[in-house]
Amino acid sequence: NDLLKKYYRAQKVVSTDDWETFYATLQTALPVAIRINKSKPCWKHIRSHVENTRKFTCIEWYPDRLAWHCDSAVFNTDPELKKWVDSANAGGLLVYQEAVSMLPPLYLQISPQHKVLDMCAAPGSKTMQAIDMMHAGESEDGPYTRYNQGMILGNDMDTRFLPSVR
């Protein structure tokens, strides 16, 4: 896209010598990234299943081996894997979430007593991640056994996206 090239060249985010490498990187497909919802009683089973597919690689900086990624070409050419992940996503057991969007809740170090206002809540993956973090330290194997003292309010400027936050 010529407008995209023109825009980024004008920003001077990279030197002229590095332009071709930079632009080629922009055209590279992102990996498929997932995050396992620790708020589900079967989260350890889901993590084991993801590990055993041998198609996903653990995102090492994410706690408890709950975040994984897979090359998009591998993922998109394996209909059984895609079907399983889609089903687990639909059931709320895991979410598709780009690795970079996992960072804000981690940096905030959300705890059970925090009050969180998420002003860009759609589609809801960071909000769910914040909920998981609010329940940190609770039962490792089952449903949460105590109530947290904090709250999360999720909103989005574009009302078309709000149904995905529910």
Side-chain angles (χ1 to χ4, degrees):
N1 179 322
D2 289 336
L3 288 175
L4 179 76
K5 284 183 182 179
K6 184 178 177 180
Y7 173 80
Y8 276 106
R9 282 185 194 246
Q11 302 308 307
K12 298 182 180 177
V13 293
V14 295
S15 68
T16 306
D17 294 341
D18 292 331
W19 172 255
E20 292 303 322
T21 303
F22 171 74
Y23 193 71
T25 301
L26 291 179
Q27 295 174 310
T28 304
L30 291 172
V32 173
I34 59 171
R35 184 183 49 76
I36 298 164
N37 283 333
K38 196 173 180 182
S39 62
K40 299 297 181 180
C42 59
W43 69 270
K44 286 183 179 179
H45 173 74
I46 298 300
R47 182 178 64 190
S48 292
H49 186 81
V50 170
E51 288 172 334
N52 292 335
T53 67
R54 305 202 187 282
K55 305 263 174 127
F56 283 92
T57 303
C58 184
I59 298 175
E60 296 295 329
W61 48 261
Y62 198 90
D64 299 323
R65 295 183 354 260
L66 294 173
W68 299 78
H69 63 89
C70 176
D71 181 89
S72 59
V74 170
F75 184 79
N76 290 321
T77 56
D78 187 333
E80 287 301 311
L81 178 64
K82 187 171 182 349
K83 180 180 175 182
W84 183 84
V85 173
D86 285 345
S87 176
N89 180 58
L93 304 174
L94 56 79
V95 294
Y96 288 103
Q97 184 176 357
E98 288 184 22
V100 69
S101 84
M102 297 177 200
L103 291 171
L106 286 180
Y107 283 123
L108 287 173
Q109 298 178 352
I110 297 167
S111 296
Q113 74 280 5
H114 285 158
K115 292 170 180 52
V116 178
L117 174 60
D118 186 348
M119 293 299 292
C120 293
S125 55
K126 286 188 298 290
T127 306
M128 186 62 204
Q129 181 183 354
I131 291 168
D132 278 351
M133 292 175 73
M134 280 188 145
H135 291 284
E138 295 188 17
S139 173
E140 286 290 310
D141 297 313
Y144 299 125
T145 56
R146 66 180 170 89
Y147 295 101
N148 66 57
Q149 299 166 342
M151 67 173 249
I152 299 176
L153 176 61
N155 198 3
D156 202 279
M157 191 169 104
D158 192 332
T159 57
R160 293 176 298 165
F161 298 127
L162 288 178
S164 68
V165 179
R166 296 187 181 140

